[in-house]
Amino acid sequence: MRVIAIDGPAGSGKSTVARALAAALGLQYLDTGAMYRAVTFAVLRSGGDPGDPDTAAATARSVELDIGLDRVLVDGFDATLEIRGPEVTRAVSAVAANPAVRRELVARQREWARQRGGGVLEGRDIGTVVFPDAELKVYLTADPAERARRRAKEVTDLDYETVAADLARRDALDSNREVDPLMEAGDAVVVDTTGLDIEGVVTSVLALLKENTDG
Ligand code: DC
């Protein structure tokens, strides 16, 4: 099974790098952040409280998720836009800190890769928890101001200050939570993408992979 793990905080360039790598290697791509967002969306849609551990856990276990490259279906409902909206973004850290939710989604991520003979997975804990034996682990970083600038460009309805404040809050929650916090795997290749163009990052990672495979 060929698994490539791409971890790092929001705005570090994970999605762009992971998608490009998947295309270059002929592997499928899974955005695991979209899964945590989709569960959050499902809780909100049913009128539940994402902060209530039992509600979030039950939803994670029962929800039907279809995480495509450009489309996310939650119980058959197209929630592609909603999962990136402010409501979900505000509540997702609480859901991602829930151990029962993580257990369920990690199991689904492993099953996803098993069925496909591997893949490129991006998230926060892929190299540390989901696939500690991944063929290659990349940990992307970038300084907070640059990450906020990238995110602000993506979400056109929020200004830079709001995006920067939200990113800082989520960084703190994701890095300090008790279960599977965001951190670098000891054997990950760390790439600081501040000031780098993503094409360059993809080329370097592909070169690394070739070195690993040849060596
Ligand atoms: O990458 P993103 O911003 O779409 O992720 C949404 C949230 O889910 C974020 O707060 C971190 C969390 N997450 C996680 O805890 N573990 C993952 N493997 C992926 C995302």
Side-chain angles (χ1 to χ4, degrees):
M1 193 159 75
R2 179 160 219 212
V3 172
I4 315 283
I6 312 286
D7 291 303
S12 56
K14 288 192 304 293
S15 296
T16 315
V17 170
R19 281 166 183 264
L21 281 177
L25 297 168
L27 293 171
Q28 289 192 53
Y29 155 77
L30 181 63
D31 174 2
T32 64
M35 297 174 76
Y36 290 92
R37 288 174 178 273
V39 170
T40 308
F41 171 79
V43 174
L44 290 169
R45 187 176 181 225
S46 66
D49 171 8
D52 177 64
D54 294 338
T55 307
T59 305
R61 283 191 285 264
S62 64
V63 73
E64 193 187 309
L65 297 180
D66 181 351
I67 311 288
L69 202 52
D70 294 304
R71 194 189 62 169
V72 170
L73 300 182
V74 181
D75 288 325
F77 178 90
D78 187 338
T80 311
L81 294 179
E82 284 89 342
I83 64 160
R84 308 281 164 202
E87 252 196 305
V88 169
T89 299
R90 219 174 296 128
V92 67
S93 293
V95 172
N98 181 317
V101 171
R102 301 201 71 83
R103 213 174 304 125
E104 171 65 25
L105 295 190
V106 167
R108 292 194 193 200
Q109 289 153 20
R110 289 180 178 146
E111 179 59 17
W112 177 91
R114 196 191 60 75
Q115 285 175 357
R116 289 162 180 78
V120 179
L121 292 89
E122 69 151 280
R124 302 291 190 286
D125 61 342
I126 308 302
T128 50
V129 175
V130 187
F131 286 106
D133 297 328
E135 177 178 340
L136 180 71
K137 302 177 186 180
V138 180
Y139 187 90
L140 298 179
T141 62
D143 67 46
E146 170 135 350
R147 293 195 284 112
R149 260 195 307 277
R150 291 177 186 165
R151 264 297 144 97
K153 249 200 243 168
E154 286 168 17
V155 285
T156 46
D157 51 337
L158 297 175
D159 62 26
Y160 172 80
E161 297 304 328
T162 310
V163 172
D166 177 66
L167 211 84
R169 184 185 63 87
R170 281 208 296 143
D171 279 356
L173 289 170
D174 293 341
S175 305
N176 299 323
R177 68 171 177 238
E178 259 174 56
V179 215
D180 308 342
L182 169 67
M183 60 174 179
E184 302 164 20
D187 51 353
V189 180
V190 181
V191 183
D192 186 337
T193 66
T194 311
L196 292 184
D197 71 284
I198 295 295
E199 292 308 306
V201 176
V202 173
T203 310
S204 332
V205 172
L206 284 171
L208 263 173
L209 195 63
K210 192 165 182 309
E211 250 173 57
N212 280 4
T213 316
D214 295 347

